[in-house]
Amino acid sequence: MARTAGSSGEKTLAAIREAGLDLIHAHGYEAMSLRQLATRIGLQPGSLYNHIETKQDLLYDLIHNHMVTLLASLEEALAGIEDPLETLKAFIAFHLTYHVERKREVFIGSSELRSLEPKGRRKIVALRRTYEDRLCAILTQGARRGLFKIDDVRVSAYAILAMLTGICTWYDGKGRIGRRKLIDIHTRLVLQGVMK
């Protein structure tokens, strides 16, 4: 059976990314070897270089894809919402849902940022800042409309993000509280911190 042009390469690259996420999440970037990665997907180690240039390029690709997806998904989740209070509620629900569903990507994006070379790190930090700026804009808009009392927008945004992102470390989908209830609890906690 003839191979469809490009399909094997795309499937192999997807498999490399998926295995890379698993291995880096489980062992850390420094401990993961390209030999492990190749073995995981059934390739000879040298064949990896037909799909990725270096281990560093793979890490950057994984974190960059995560950030681009995060930003695009956020804008989709907030599209059409004008009221700052409703926008903040939607942000909270989105952030929690995304982070619970993509724990590996979030973990790697946070813990392995240090492993990126300076040029790649600067690009990822700029994307992270775009995400943080979106929350800052929501808080600023709410404060201007007299809905929120914010002493420092950036500090408030970082505190909210730290609390919401923390769910990645302890949430278990099989636990006693469902996702919807957890979103409600977090929403109430955030709103108690910012509402006038």
Side-chain angles (χ1 to χ4, degrees), residues 15 25 34 47-48 52 61 63 77 79 91 97 117 129 139 142 146 154 158 170-171 173 189 193-195:
H25 182 250
L34 291 180
S47 298
L48 282 174
I52 61 171
D61 180 56
I63 298 175
F91 179 94
T97 301
E117 292 173 352
R129 178 56 70 109
L139 296 175
R154 183 75 52 187
Y158 288 157
W170 58 264
Y171 176 73
L189 288 169
V194 300
M195 294 294 286

Side-chain angles (χ1 to χ4, degrees), residues 3 13-14 24 26-27 30 56 65 70 77 79 103 106 108 120 136 139 143 156 159 164 172-173 176 178 196:
R3 175 174 81 79
L13 182 56
I24 295 170
H27 307 291
E30 291 300 330
Q56 178 67 203
N65 284 346
L70 176 69
K103 283 185 175 184
V106 171
I108 292 168
C136 287
L139 296 175
S156 299
L164 298 179
D172 180 355
R176 63 182 178 82
K196 274 192 155 187

